[in-house]
Amino acid sequence: MQKGSLYAHIAGKQELLYETMLVGARAFHAALDELPERAPATERIRLALRAHLRLVADQLDVATVFVREWRSLDAERRDEILAERRRYEERIRALFREGREGSELRTDLDENAAALLFLSAANWAYTWLHPGEDTDAVADAFFGLLVDGMRGYDTPV
Amino acid sequence: MQKGSLYAHIAGKQELLYETMLVGARAFHAALDELPERAPATERIRLALRAHLRLVADQLDVATVFVREWRSLDAERRDEILAERRRYEERIRALFREGREGSELRTDLDENAAALLFLSAANWAYTWLHPGEDTDAVADAFFGLLVDGMRGYDTPV
DNA sequence: CCTCCTACCGAACGATCGTTAGGCTGTTCA
DNA sequence: TGAACAGCCTAACGATCGTTCGGTAGGAGG
């Protein structure tokens, strides 16, 4: 398809970028929606990380745009997309908060730092994941490091 | 300064990008060079994370270019920059390997996953750090989460 | 005072980009 | 059969971008 033919389907470049990012935002939220509500918080964290990495690997191009190009949106649309992103981050933060409040995680856990570390691993993945790669094992490895750390073998309750 | 005036100092846009990235690459390697050789691996990991985040906050613009724009380099220069980046990543990986081999870290530690998690936190920082922000506390918080995990209180030896 | 030299200005070039509009082809349905 | 329509092509537009180049203001040194 030639570049001019695009304009039979979209209103313009901005519109195309915005639609693409909406698809991305909705996909990430949908992944969180499908977490089992009754599972322990740590298990939901593990599954959330799996879902996030799977989404990035399955739709690497959308994920890359979603992470890198939100600056190019005009002010109004950028605010909307950023709000969706902040809402996603808050949902992740809530998982860690629940884990702490339910005593699955240490009571002095800094949920902001924890969520930021989770999101760093999740969002950086677009730079090294290959399209379509199976990511569950990687997600579980990350989860293990995050939750149990790198020292010793124990998993104290 | 007008855009045309730039060309009294540089050969072209590619050259400017390349020089900027060289500055960035050298700065990151220099930070690792200054780690205390005789300190325990975990301590060097902590200091490396501190140094990385400090560099990102101090030179946020260079760090952003370094992370986001290497794709725009022509093949030859991109390869050179990517080689430097891989060398940096390998130096980080070596820290975790030393930590494991010196029994500071668990003997079944996956040094690749550990380094990737470290680098995710470090490289993603350009998206949320404010220029000039003091980052030592954040780095130590990340380090604590990475090394000791999020469960329990103990730090088994 | 005159002469370099440095550093920047500002107009202009070709190339590329986003966008428009008119035309062509093949399919659908009366 | 033929009209309507969907989907893509192609040429062309204005705007922007990277780059060049002649000019100029101001300071340094003789």
Side-chain angles (χ1 to χ4, degrees):
Chain A
M1 204 163 79
Q2 300 275 65
K3 63 174 182 174
S5 311
L6 258 178
Y7 290 79
H9 306 275
I10 57 159
K13 193 190 171 190
Q14 284 280 336
E15 192 74 21
L16 177 59
L17 177 57
Y18 174 68
E19 298 286 343
T20 303
M21 307 211 69
L22 265 191
V23 168
R26 277 199 272 261
F28 280 109
H29 276 291
L32 288 192
D33 291 339
E34 286 169 12
L35 292 180
E37 289 186 32
R38 312 212 155 273
T42 46
E43 179 64 6
R44 274 177 290 151
I45 290 170
R46 190 176 71 89
L47 294 176
L49 189 50
R50 275 196 176 206
H52 191 118
L53 292 191
R54 192 180 311 133
L55 208 51
V56 171
D58 281 355
Q59 303 197 38
L60 194 51
D61 44 2
V62 174
T64 302
V65 169
F66 193 67
V67 169
R68 301 182 77 234
E69 302 300 336
W70 57 269
R71 294 159 213 265
S72 307
L73 289 168
D74 47 281
E76 192 183 351
R77 289 170 176 164
R78 179 173 58 232
D79 289 348
E80 184 187 338
I81 295 295
L82 280 182
E84 283 306 289
R85 237 186 63 168
R86 275 192 287 269
R87 189 164 71 86
Y88 183 78
E89 293 168 4
E90 174 53 37
R91 293 180 75 178
I92 297 296
R93 211 173 292 123
L95 290 178
F96 286 102
R97 189 164 47 235
E98 290 175 39
R100 186 194 57 206
E101 291 171 352
S103 299
E104 295 175 55
L105 300 177
R106 50 201 303 173
T107 53
D108 68 338
L109 181 71
D110 179 347
E111 75 208 28
N112 291 302
L116 189 48
L117 194 52
F118 175 106
L119 288 164
S120 298
N123 286 325
W124 186 246
Y126 83 95
T127 65
W128 53 270
L129 276 181
H130 306 295
E133 184 176 353
D134 180 57
T135 53
D136 284 354
V138 183
D140 288 351
F142 274 176
F143 175 79
L145 289 173
L146 283 175
V147 169
D148 292 323
M150 302 177 177
R151 263 204 265 253
Y153 279 104
D154 298 353
T155 301
V157 183
Chain B
M1 204 162 82
Q2 301 275 69
K3 61 175 182 173
S5 311
L6 259 177
Y7 290 80
H9 305 276
I10 57 159
K13 194 190 171 190
Q14 284 281 335
E15 192 73 21
L16 177 59
L17 178 57
Y18 174 68
E19 298 286 344
T20 303
M21 307 211 69
L22 265 191
V23 167
R26 276 200 272 260
F28 280 109
H29 276 291
L32 288 192
D33 291 339
E34 286 170 11
L35 292 179
E37 289 185 34
R38 311 212 157 273
T42 47
E43 179 64 6
R44 274 177 290 150
I45 291 171
R46 190 176 72 88
L47 294 176
L49 189 50
R50 276 195 175 207
H52 191 119
L53 293 191
R54 191 180 310 133
L55 208 52
V56 172
D58 281 355
Q59 304 198 38
L60 194 51
D61 45 0
V62 173
T64 301
V65 169
F66 192 65
V67 168
R68 302 182 76 236
E69 303 299 337
W70 56 268
R71 296 159 212 266
S72 307
L73 290 168
D74 47 282
E76 191 183 351
R77 289 168 177 165
R78 179 173 58 232
D79 289 348
E80 183 187 341
I81 296 295
L82 279 182
E84 283 305 290
R85 237 186 61 168
R86 276 193 287 269
R87 189 163 71 87
Y88 183 77
E89 293 168 3
E90 175 52 38
R91 294 180 75 176
I92 297 296
R93 210 173 292 123
L95 289 178
F96 286 102
R97 188 165 47 236
E98 290 175 40
R100 187 193 57 207
E101 290 170 351
S103 299
E104 296 174 56
L105 300 176
R106 48 200 304 171
T107 52
D108 68 339
L109 181 73
D110 178 347
E111 76 208 27
N112 291 302
L116 190 48
L117 194 52
F118 175 106
L119 288 164
S120 299
N123 286 325
W124 185 247
Y126 83 95
T127 65
W128 54 270
L129 276 181
H130 306 295
E133 184 177 353
D134 180 58
T135 53
D136 285 353
V138 182
D140 288 350
F142 274 175
F143 175 79
L145 289 174
L146 282 174
V147 169
D148 291 324
M150 302 177 177
R151 263 205 267 252
Y153 280 104
D154 298 352
T155 302
V157 184

